[in-house]
Amino acid sequence: MSHNDSFEAVLSHVRETALLDATRALLEWDERTGLPSQAGNYRAEQITLLSGMIHRRRTDPWLGDQLFALRDSDLVAEPTRATAACILRLAKDYERNIRLPLRLVEALSTATVLGQQAWEKARSADDWKQFEPHLESIYALRREEAELLSEPSSGNAPGVLYDALLDQYEEGGRSEQLTQSLGELRNALVDLVKQLQDAPQRPTGESWKTPVSLEQQRHVSRWVAEKIGYSFERGRLDETTHPFCTTLGPHDCRILTRYQTDYFPSGFYGTLHEAGHGLYEQGLPTEWYGLPPGSYASLGVHESQSRLWENFVGRSHEFWMWAFPEISKRVGTSWDNLDATKLYRDANLVRPSLIRVEADEVTYNLHILIRFELEQELLNNRLSVSDAPAAWNERYEHYLGIRPTSDRDGILQDVHWSAGLIGYFPTYTLGNVYAAQLMQAAARELGDLPKLISRGEFAPLLEWLRTKVHAHGFCYHPNDLIERASGEKLSAQPLVDYLSQKLKPIYGVS
């Protein structure tokens, strides 16, 4: 068989595996959007069965033989070309997958399905004890996985358990480097918070407490998602406990948000955030669906797209000058006493808070730092799961000066650990860093970007992102992709500059 024939055979095999994976994702989407409470155990069996089938296909010795032969062929002469990137990344995934026994893969699938259902009930009841044994099981299984993946022959640094999990979400990510980067960013942002605390013209945030009916919010959310470019012919918008985005096929991207009648930003910015994820998924090359060139580069890059639309666009003055009259028409008399400038100022209120997804842009990264520290301690058995709620509360008091009064607003607020997503949280801060650098480059290349936003003309920015980021799929290492797109070495300075330049005028700080 020629190398080209072998490559086509591999593509066929992986695309069939993607069909199974999309079916599993559909079952998971259904689980999060209305699965009957008594159906959980059977759903866990369904997803476990599919996960086992997928793992067998991904560890098929025939696939490994083909990939290793292709990896040494002339098809990988240019590593960043789609064909070469596909071979190299599939080979890396194969080497990772064969280190994981089927027993462990199936056990994790069962534990995380049941864990998410237990988390939903525990969060609703504000009862940590309902979720604690599930989290014990999930951490034990992920610890076993990390141990297998951090052995010397695995290619990861031996003994660094966290890095073995982090690499699955952000290729090449290292906890030591992240600790330093997050620490430096924390120091810069803490200094900015101090400057804003005693500012002469602080926003109050009161405008966002104006009640808006759920039906009106649903109408506004669909409208704004469509306006920034999200295609409802290839996607949909639903509601869930914790907002997320999932893709079930090359033309089936689904986003979910949640609403509060007395806090408009929860649904509105949740929708903008998830629509940003959706725009990325809808911009990936459909002909490569299920393969690296048709997949996102990393979760940090994915997060850069959601944070860019949510914050860099959606919290700008220009955006609100355009959006205010449009939204006012859709919420009736609710906003009669408001104006664009007041909404813009309140959208940029900086104030320590308990809930990560509703945190301001400055303190948000402190929420991530807390989770990053705790999950390393839990994974390395330096902190027991039973002691985690107290550790969470103490960390919030230390970093943000506030202490949760309930586990619902504390350790039970995020779905991630119940889904087994340990090592995921740092990608949120990386996304903020990437977004600032991308937005800076887009403004430089597109000319008067603020004027375009003030007119509701989002297509030029979306097209720039499509060309610079989306079209490349996972053909580049995340850092390389951002550097190619922005023309600059990766740096947190654009994020610090953006926050300072936007917030100081709002607060009257020179």
Side-chain angles (χ1 to χ4, degrees), residues 162 166 169 277 299 303 375 416 421-428:
Y162 192 80
L166 173 62
Y169 308 118
H277 283 304
L299 286 178
E303 195 63 23
E375 60 185 14
H416 300 64
L421 300 177
I422 299 160
Y424 186 115
F425 278 116
T427 65
Y428 285 115

Side-chain angles (χ1 to χ4, degrees), residues 1-306:
M1 183 184 293
S2 71
H3 289 146
N4 285 330
D5 289 341
S6 177
F7 181 61
E8 289 301 320
V10 166
L11 294 187
S12 178
H13 180 94
V14 176
R15 282 178 170 135
E16 286 184 3
T17 307
L19 288 170
L20 288 172
D21 206 18
T23 303
R24 176 176 61 180
L26 178 59
L27 288 174
E28 291 169 344
W29 173 86
D30 176 72
E31 178 197 344
R32 299 277 298 280
T33 56
L35 184 75
S37 60
Q38 296 299 309
N41 287 339
Y42 194 70
R43 179 54 48 87
E45 289 184 34
Q46 292 173 314
I47 292 177
T48 298
L49 177 64
L50 277 171
S51 296
M53 294 168 66
I54 292 165
H55 186 69
R56 288 187 188 94
R57 291 184 62 85
R58 287 176 173 169
T59 56
D60 188 322
W62 171 87
L63 177 63
D65 291 343
Q66 300 300 312
L67 286 170
F68 297 152
L70 288 169
R71 192 170 59 182
D72 295 330
S73 75
D74 55 1
L75 292 180
V76 298
E78 298 178 42
T80 56
R81 286 182 62 240
T83 298
C86 189
I87 293 167
L88 293 172
R89 298 198 184 285
L90 287 176
K92 179 181 176 180
D93 288 345
Y94 180 85
E95 289 179 319
R96 173 189 174 276
N97 289 330
I98 60 174
R99 303 183 71 82
L100 305 178
L102 178 61
R103 166 197 56 79
L104 177 59
V105 172
E106 291 181 334
L108 265 169
S109 293
T110 301
T112 53
V113 172
L114 297 178
Q116 288 177 83
Q117 293 165 11
W119 169 80
E120 289 263 11
K121 294 174 183 175
R123 184 178 181 276
S124 178
D126 192 17
D127 182 5
W128 161 255
K129 288 299 180 182
Q130 286 190 43
F131 180 54
E132 183 180 316
H134 293 273
L135 192 60
E136 284 270 17
S137 174
I138 289 167
Y139 261 95
L141 292 167
R142 288 290 267 162
R143 187 179 299 113
E144 181 182 351
E145 178 183 350
E147 287 169 350
L148 291 169
L149 295 175
S150 62
E151 293 175 355
S153 59
S154 68
N156 293 306
V160 185
L161 298 184
Y162 192 80
D163 290 356
L165 303 184
L166 173 62
D167 187 71
Q168 298 171 32
Y169 308 118
E170 197 71 21
E171 185 180 86
R174 294 291 177 263
S175 52
E176 183 179 4
Q177 181 184 24
L178 275 173
T179 299
Q180 180 179 344
S181 300
L182 286 173
E184 292 171 355
L185 184 58
R186 176 195 62 210
N187 294 338
L189 297 182
V190 165
D191 181 61
L192 179 58
V193 170
K194 288 179 181 177
Q195 294 180 60
L196 301 179
Q197 277 180 337
D198 300 318
Q201 52 189 52
R202 288 179 57 82
T204 65
E206 289 301 313
S207 61
W208 290 123
K209 297 178 183 178
T210 304
V212 179
S213 74
L214 294 182
E215 196 54 45
Q216 288 172 328
Q217 289 190 54
R218 292 184 184 110
H219 183 43
V220 169
S221 287
R222 183 181 175 94
W223 166 79
V224 77
E226 196 165 31
K227 279 294 181 181
I228 66 172
Y230 181 76
S231 171
F232 281 95
E233 293 183 349
R234 302 175 60 208
R236 55 184 289 161
L237 171 62
D238 295 281
E239 296 168 40
T240 189
T241 307
H242 191 102
F244 70 99
C245 169
T246 188
T247 295
L248 310 179
H251 300 289
D252 188 356
C253 172
R254 305 187 182 193
I255 59 175
L256 299 98
T257 192
R258 67 184 181 198
Y259 302 105
Q260 298 179 39
T261 54
D262 58 351
Y263 192 64
F264 182 82
S266 182
F268 184 75
Y269 282 114
T271 298
L272 269 181
H273 182 96
E274 300 307 332
H277 283 304
L279 290 174
Y280 187 15
E281 290 290 325
Q282 291 182 344
L284 293 168
T286 56
E287 68 272 20
W288 287 100
Y289 177 77
L291 297 154
S295 303
Y296 57 86
S298 75
L299 286 178
V301 174
H302 224 310
E303 195 63 23
S304 76
Q305 303 305 286
S306 58

